[in-house]
Amino acid sequence: MPFATAIDHVGIAVADLDAATDRYRGILGAEPVHRERVESQGVEEVLFRIGDSYVQLLGALGPETAVGKFLAKRGEGMHHLAYRVDDVAAALDALRAAGVRLVDETPRPGSRGTTIAFVHPSALGGVLVELVQEG
Ligand code: CMX
Ligand code: CO
């Protein structure tokens, strides 16, 4: 079974979500397809659809959130890469068996009714990785 079926989205940390949404709307020539406040992740997200994938703009809900800390340390920029998988729990088990450092030991709810989990950036070339299971 392949690890992932697609790139689900690229997450981009932004300082001002409304301003970034306007900028992306103009540049991509498209309306966002989704906006959601995800308290458990400390973010508000805006999604633009690109083919079968998304660009996810991320505004921080506070300075002590993951994105808030990232913005303070590094400024705006690419925050994570999300792979679409059929089964997040199975993918986590496979990564754990391979000795990969996980952020989330078990899957949790994401936006749009998805199930997600994060893998530590130290495991995959300095890139924070998210696993996304639809539905
Ligand atoms: N990408 C790559 N490296 C990152 C990173 C990121 N997004 N965020 C932090 N790091 C690095 C830091 O640069 C730092 O590296 P050094 O030790 O070399 O300096 C190290 O990780 C620790 O950084 P930190 O600021 O102390 O941050 P924490 O360890 O507290 O948290 C992380 C880092 C990845 C565990 C945390 O951000 C996390 O749990 N992320 C998962 C949840 C998340 O990001 N939610 C928001 C998105 C929600 C969504 O997409 O739906
Ligand atoms: Co994401």
Side-chain angles (χ1 to χ4, degrees):
M1 197 175 89
F3 173 71
T5 56
I7 300 293
D8 186 82
H9 65 268
V10 175
I12 300 172
V14 299
D16 181 331
L17 187 59
D18 288 329
T21 300
D22 282 346
R23 214 156 51 234
Y24 269 77
R25 180 189 277 119
I27 288 163
L28 298 178
E31 288 300 315
V33 293
H34 188 73
R35 182 169 182 141
E36 184 171 341
R37 199 178 157 95
V38 187
E39 298 282 348
S40 57
Q41 292 293 333
V43 296
E44 182 154 356
E45 71 165 30
V46 167
L47 296 178
F48 286 93
R49 196 169 186 113
I50 308 284
D52 195 29
S53 309
Y54 302 95
V55 167
Q56 178 189 51
L57 302 181
L58 293 164
L61 294 183
E64 289 309 313
T65 61
V67 172
K69 287 205 280 184
F70 180 92
L71 285 168
K73 258 194 182 173
R74 302 193 183 193
E76 293 187 308
M78 265 188 57
H79 182 261
H80 64 270
L81 175 65
Y83 293 97
R84 192 173 299 149
V85 299
D86 290 330
D87 183 338
V88 174
L92 282 180
D93 285 344
L95 290 170
R96 194 182 292 107
V100 169
R101 181 174 172 193
L102 306 176
V103 172
D104 295 312
E105 290 296 332
T106 52
R108 29 168 156 180
S111 67
R112 296 181 293 124
T114 59
T115 302
I116 64 171
F118 282 88
V119 181
H120 199 272
S122 63
L124 293 159
V127 176
L128 176 62
V129 164
E130 179 180 357
L131 309 174
V132 181
Q133 179 183 337
E134 303 241 324

